[in-house]
Amino acid sequence: MVKKKMKKSKYNIEVKHKDKNLIFNTKTRNCIILDNDEWTRYEGISAEYEKELSDLGIYVNDFDDEYEEIVDIINSNIARDNETIRSHTIYTTTYCNAHCHYCFEDSFVRESMSLQTANKIVDYILGRQGNSKKLYVIWFGGEPLLNVNVIDVIAKKLKKSLPSDVEFRSSIYTNGVLFSDKLIEHAVAEWNLKAVQITIDGLKTTYENIKGYNFDNGFDLVIERIRAIIKAGIRIQIRINYDDNNVNEILELIDVLSDLLPQKKDVVVYANKIFRSDTDNSKKSSAINDFTIFKKLVECGFCRDILGSIKNNFNTCLAGSEYSKLYLPSGYIIKCDRDCKSIVGNLDGETNQDELSKWKVNRINVMCRDCKVFPLCGGGCIYEFINGKKGCMNSEELVKMKLQYYLDTL
Ligand code: SF4
Ligand code: SF4
């Protein structure tokens, strides 16, 4: 029998510190550290290491096409999720009590959902549940809490109508300032609310300027509300929006949040770069800023596992899932909150196939074939891809910096 030839996986990322050499495989997420002598043998595809390193995915067979294997995994995950999970994002309103300049919904018509549309959405959702045992609803806006009646109607009717073996849970994207203690309690009991995402864009002055509330001390109020949400046992994510121009302020903000929110284990804080027309997250300058913020999150205790933060994404974004839909207050259906003009259907079951097919096109960029972080990214943002951009949601540079940081601190 001819012995199989081995090669290094194309998804190995390697960093070095003194005589320690770290190899991290982005597909398997296995990590090993070798001394210089072992490294030389690894480089030479040593027969002595073949079994161990192929078990870790760090060596692969010479004829393996790892890229195609990942594409197959992504496709089978899409098919599996289409069978098992229904995810519906409901814009209760496009009105908002804040005035963030970056809000994509500036292009949205301002309207609130009527109770009649809310009832129609429930019928539509129930009619598409099939045999799926999970139903996730995201309350979205505008500020979704400006239209609590609609949330009440939808949640109540879904809970009453769904079979008992279907798990129904909801989450909300809110600025948080309307979440009174009483409303939080109500949301847990009546909406099966399990998670809240709140965005903070800067220190007190910046935050209050960006939000432009018609009351003072919005920053203090949102921190108080975050504490109340944590106390109620709801999972909270604080999203920090940043761009390459406000990194220093964001670093200060993380320090402030660290002092104000000692319950760090109950809070996920993550920084998200605001998409701009010229943004390419794979650029080195972006990666340096991303890493600087990441390091601060680690130092402040918001991230406790450096390697754990390098996660696989063998999935498409929600826009790529057939059963993931967003419902505007009018009842029109879209696929992604960044493209409210792409109406793919309505609650009467009519579908615009041309628009729908845009989100189904073979969206994986040709550049992904040679990208070492493809197993962490899953092919990027479909909206960006449709608009002729790369839409990278990860970067090899950033992963390398995290690995170097991990190795240096061992
Ligand atoms: S297309 Fe882009 S913006 Fe839209 S859901 Fe997917 S990743 Fe998010
Ligand atoms: S979208 Fe960009 S980061 Fe993601 S796999 Fe493709 S090339 Fe890599």
Side-chain angles (χ1 to χ4, degrees):
M1 199 170 82
V2 182
K3 192 172 178 311
K4 286 180 199 162
K5 229 175 124 200
M6 306 297 278
K7 63 182 177 187
K8 290 201 280 179
S9 163
K10 70 191 279 183
Y11 295 119
N12 290 350
I13 296 187
E14 300 153 352
V15 295
K16 186 174 174 59
H17 178 75
K18 296 185 180 157
D19 68 341
K20 287 185 288 189
N21 303 275
L22 180 150
I23 305 158
F24 180 87
N25 184 276
T26 59
K27 183 173 171 221
T28 60
R29 292 186 62 253
N30 285 319
C31 179
I32 53 164
I33 296 172
L34 305 176
D35 64 26
N36 285 342
D37 181 44
E38 292 164 331
W39 171 265
T40 308
R41 278 179 274 165
Y42 154 75
E43 286 272 67
I45 319 288
S46 162
E48 176 195 352
Y49 289 170
E50 275 185 8
K51 165 88 179 78
E52 193 184 341
L53 294 191
S54 61
D55 285 350
L56 295 171
I58 287 171
Y59 282 171
V60 293
N61 289 323
D62 198 26
F63 52 79
D64 283 352
D65 186 337
E66 295 179 275
Y67 171 79
E68 287 302 336
E69 284 169 18
I70 294 169
V71 171
D72 286 348
I73 297 173
I74 291 174
N75 286 333
S76 71
N77 283 348
I78 293 170
R80 182 206 58 201
D81 289 351
N82 285 346
E83 282 302 308
T84 56
I85 302 170
R86 299 288 181 270
S87 170
H88 305 274
T89 301
I90 299 175
Y91 286 77
T92 67
T93 178
T94 45
Y95 286 102
C96 190
N97 51 350
H99 304 90
C100 314
H101 57 83
Y102 53 76
C103 187
F104 294 110
E105 286 135 39
D106 274 350
S107 50
F108 277 38
V109 176
R110 297 283 158 184
E111 56 189 342
S112 276
M113 186 175 284
S114 67
L115 294 182
Q116 192 193 9
T117 303
N119 277 301
K120 262 182 115 171
I121 286 183
V122 177
D123 294 340
Y124 185 91
I125 288 174
L126 290 172
R128 279 149 188 83
Q129 184 64 20
N131 294 323
S132 161
K133 298 295 176 214
K134 288 181 182 168
L135 173 59
Y136 298 156
V137 172
I138 302 166
W139 313 112
F140 206 79
E143 171 48 54
L145 293 179
L146 287 174
N147 198 358
V148 165
N149 283 348
V150 149
I151 305 181
D152 277 340
V153 164
I154 296 175
K156 191 171 173 191
K157 203 166 163 189
L158 283 176
K159 282 167 80 171
K160 197 170 143 220
S161 311
L162 283 168
S164 57
D165 61 346
V166 174
E167 178 199 9
F168 162 59
R169 51 166 62 205
S170 76
S171 57
I172 191 164
Y173 286 61
T174 170
N175 55 45
V177 297
L178 296 173
F179 241 146
S180 65
D181 287 353
K182 205 167 154 218
L183 188 55
I184 294 170
E185 202 183 310
H186 176 81
V188 172
E190 305 300 329
W191 309 344
N192 292 10
L193 190 77
K194 304 290 182 198
V196 175
Q197 188 188 94
I198 289 179
T199 300
I200 301 185
D201 318 271
L203 293 163
K204 181 174 164 68
T205 308
T206 309
Y207 172 83
E208 290 172 5
N209 281 339
I210 291 177
K211 293 291 175 203
Y213 292 125
N214 61 0
F215 54 86
D216 293 335
N217 297 319
F219 186 83
D220 309 81
L221 179 59
V222 78
I223 296 294
E224 187 201 300
R225 295 298 83 213
I226 288 170
R227 289 189 184 130
I229 292 163
I230 295 171
K231 201 165 154 214
I234 303 174
R235 191 168 157 265
I236 185 144
Q237 280 196 334
I238 300 177
R239 167 176 155 147
I240 298 176
N241 283 335
Y242 76 99
D243 59 34
D244 289 336
N245 303 315
N246 68 348
V247 173
N248 287 338
E249 176 165 354
I250 296 307
L251 298 178
E252 244 187 279
L253 172 65
I254 295 167
D255 273 330
V256 169
L257 291 177
S258 173
D259 289 343
L260 293 174
L261 300 170
Q263 320 86 327
K264 293 193 186 65
K265 69 173 179 37
D266 301 317
V267 189
V268 176
V269 179
Y270 76 100
N272 182 70
K273 185 172 215 163
I274 298 178
F275 279 99
R276 290 187 186 283
S277 54
D278 60 348
T279 292
D280 175 356
N281 284 342
S282 66
K283 278 189 188 157
K284 188 162 186 180
S285 58
S286 291
I288 290 170
N289 286 336
D290 290 349
F291 175 69
T292 307
I293 291 171
F294 172 78
K295 199 163 156 248
K296 178 57 101 178
L297 290 170
V298 173
E299 286 162 3
C300 287
F302 287 117
C303 173
R304 288 167 290 279
D305 181 359
I306 298 172
L307 291 186
S309 76
I310 307 173
K311 294 188 181 6
N312 287 127
N313 182 14
F314 293 134
N315 255 311
T316 168
C317 74
L318 280 178
S321 163
E322 189 183 337
Y323 285 100
S324 170
K325 294 187 168 125
L326 289 78
Y327 306 85
L328 296 176
S330 57
Y332 284 129
I333 299 169
I334 59 175
K335 290 299 286 176
C336 164
D337 61 355
R338 294 186 68 199
D339 194 351
C340 58
K341 301 239 160 40
S342 174
I343 308 288
V344 298
N346 63 26
L347 297 173
D348 295 321
E350 290 164 354
T351 305
N352 182 336
Q353 286 302 341
D354 287 347
E355 287 298 328
L356 195 57
S357 62
K358 271 189 2 193
W359 302 93
K360 283 186 191 160
V361 286
N362 182 8
R363 64 192 176 79
I364 297 174
N365 198 314
V366 284
M367 285 157 144
C368 302
R369 179 171 272 282
D370 294 318
C371 175
K372 276 186 184 289
V373 294
F374 181 48
L376 309 176
C377 169
C381 167
I382 301 178
Y383 173 79
E384 295 277 304
F385 181 62
I386 289 171
N387 287 286
K389 299 188 194 123
K390 281 173 75 179
C392 294
M393 301 208 287
N394 216 313
S395 85
E396 184 182 340
E397 289 286 351
L398 175 61
V399 174
K400 259 191 169 161
M401 285 181 216
K402 286 185 178 183
L403 293 173
Q404 191 70 58
Y405 180 43
Y406 174 77
L407 187 62
D408 294 352
T409 51
L410 280 183

